[in-house]
Amino acid sequence: MNLIDVNTLFPTEEKCRELLVRLRWPEGPRCPRCKANAVELGTDKQLFYCKDCDYQFSVTAGTVFNDSHLPLVKWFAATLLLCEAKKGMSACQIQRTLGIGGYKTAWYLCHRIRHAMALADKPMLDGKVEMDTTYVGGVNRGKGICARVDNKEVVVGIRKRNGDLRFFHSKDARSGTLAKYIRENISEDVEVMFTDDFYANTVAVRKAGIKNHKTIVHSKGSYVNGDIHTNTVESAFSLLKRGIMGTWHHVSAKHLQFYLYEMCFRFDRRQNPNLFLDTLLHMVTAPVLTFEKLTA
Ligand SMILES: [Zn+2]
């Protein structure tokens, strides 16, 4: 689905709402408070009513759309743009493209879409899996092994070859921290895990109980040895860095994890023809994200 399809299929608030109703309640409307079956009120505002708890609500109540003053057609267009832009799209660009009043509104909109993406299932990875770490943000000081990285943020990348990607904003790159990401994301019966020979990686893989581990000896200048390499996770890192440098310009450490979730969500669904609908489904089932909570 492209922007023209979205505009053609969902040109009005009513059409947008109808789609959200089908996605949120495939088996008929339900009360967001008490989960009882609800009825549609037949008003032009498309409201629903729960007689069990005497509550009147719209399809967007209690979701990331909650209390938004933006028309749903703009929400739909923003969602499509965020799904389609391989390297992401800045709030500033969304604001200009969709004619949204203020930057803050556009920024909040993008974050709500991102938070819904963050809630998507992340199945354990198996098969051939690579792990590596990189640093983003901050200012480069020094080069190579002497480079200082204390003002940068650590990102752990885990990628199944020909499969899914996980990025995590990590507090450090120590073995205990890495082992936790391995345990939470890589299946114990993974066929083989590839990392470089950075000592913390070797310890982390052992701590996580992974048996088959192969390392590429970066410290001796080797980058590929047969099928032993970490090139597929590294290519995802370069996509991330182009996203951060080129699109988002500056990503604060506070929100970095959510940009990472967004990038992985899109990456893992790059061949999904229903990406737009899949994203809306997450949005209409994700909980409210208030501006206060986002900026707290
Ligand atoms: Zn109710």
Side-chain angles (χ1 to χ4, degrees):
M1 200 159 333
N2 60 37
L3 193 54
I4 303 295
D5 299 329
V6 170
N7 286 338
T8 309
L9 290 167
F10 313 105
T12 61
E13 294 299 286
E14 193 185 351
K15 291 283 177 205
C16 293
R17 282 183 192 283
E18 279 170 14
L19 175 66
L20 295 182
V21 168
R22 286 205 305 276
L23 290 172
R24 186 175 187 184
W25 300 305
E27 282 148 26
R30 287 200 166 212
C31 174
R33 283 193 181 160
C34 74
K35 311 288 173 225
N37 290 332
V39 291
E40 188 166 357
L41 282 175
T43 59
D44 35 332
K45 283 191 171 168
Q46 289 169 291
L47 292 171
F48 298 86
Y49 179 69
C50 169
K51 67 176 181 343
D52 286 31
C53 67
D54 188 29
Y55 178 48
Q56 192 173 299
F57 55 92
S58 70
V59 66
T60 54
T63 72
V64 292
F65 299 96
N66 203 63
D67 282 340
S68 173
H69 300 296
L70 272 182
L72 286 174
V73 290
K74 292 203 179 186
W75 271 94
F76 275 40
T79 304
L80 191 278
L81 292 174
L82 281 191
C83 288
E84 292 300 317
K86 227 178 153 188
K87 286 174 274 176
M89 191 175 271
S90 70
C92 203
Q93 182 73 55
I94 295 267
Q95 182 195 359
R96 280 197 303 270
T97 308
L98 301 182
I100 291 172
Y103 173 74
K104 202 171 94 173
T105 307
W107 182 84
Y108 181 31
L109 165 72
C110 293
H111 266 295
R112 279 181 286 179
I113 299 172
R114 214 165 269 140
H115 273 249
M117 290 174 168
L119 293 174
D121 275 351
K122 296 167 195 69
M124 299 290 270
L125 303 177
D126 55 12
K128 295 179 174 173
V129 177
E130 300 175 15
M131 182 181 79
D132 200 5
T133 47
T134 192
Y135 296 88
V136 299
V139 181
N140 288 316
R141 293 195 205 125
K143 274 189 176 165
I145 204 158
C146 303
R148 290 194 42 189
V149 290
D150 53 349
N151 61 342
K152 289 174 173 279
E153 304 302 324
V154 181
V155 174
V156 175
I158 301 175
R159 183 173 174 188
K160 175 179 175 168
R161 286 189 190 163
N162 302 312
D164 284 6
L165 174 68
R166 307 277 181 266
F167 278 153
F168 299 99
H169 179 198
S170 178
K171 63 182 196 308
D172 56 54
R174 298 153 96 98
S175 63
T177 311
L178 297 176
K180 177 175 154 284
Y181 288 118
I182 297 173
R183 278 193 293 266
E184 289 173 356
N185 294 281
I186 302 179
S187 166
E188 256 178 56
D189 51 11
V190 63
E191 186 186 329
V192 52
M193 218 187 128
F194 301 99
T195 68
D196 65 23
D197 60 333
F198 178 49
Y199 184 64
N201 284 336
T202 307
V203 178
V205 173
R206 195 170 62 228
K207 276 185 182 167
I210 302 287
K211 309 227 169 32
N212 197 0
H213 178 210
K214 291 183 179 169
T215 55
I216 185 76
V217 189
H218 278 183
S219 58
K220 288 191 182 149
S222 171
Y223 288 88
V224 182
N225 177 9
D227 80 332
I228 308 174
H229 61 80
T230 53
N231 291 349
T232 69
V233 71
E234 281 167 32
S235 74
F237 281 151
S238 35
L239 188 68
L240 168 69
K241 288 183 181 180
R242 287 201 299 273
I244 290 177
M245 304 296 287
T247 310
W248 299 320
H249 304 296
H250 177 74
V251 171
S252 71
K254 185 178 164 193
H255 298 293
L256 175 59
Q257 182 61 61
F258 286 89
Y259 288 94
L260 300 178
Y261 282 138
E262 176 197 332
M263 183 152 270
C264 295
F265 180 90
R266 196 168 38 228
F267 187 88
D268 293 347
R269 290 162 181 76
R270 60 200 180 281
Q271 280 150 354
N272 178 349
N274 298 316
L275 177 57
F276 172 71
L277 294 176
D278 190 20
T279 309
L280 278 183
L281 174 65
H282 283 96
M283 289 161 65
V284 84
T285 50
V288 178
L289 174 68
T290 62
F291 191 77
E292 291 68 36
K293 191 180 165 203
L294 179 61
T295 51

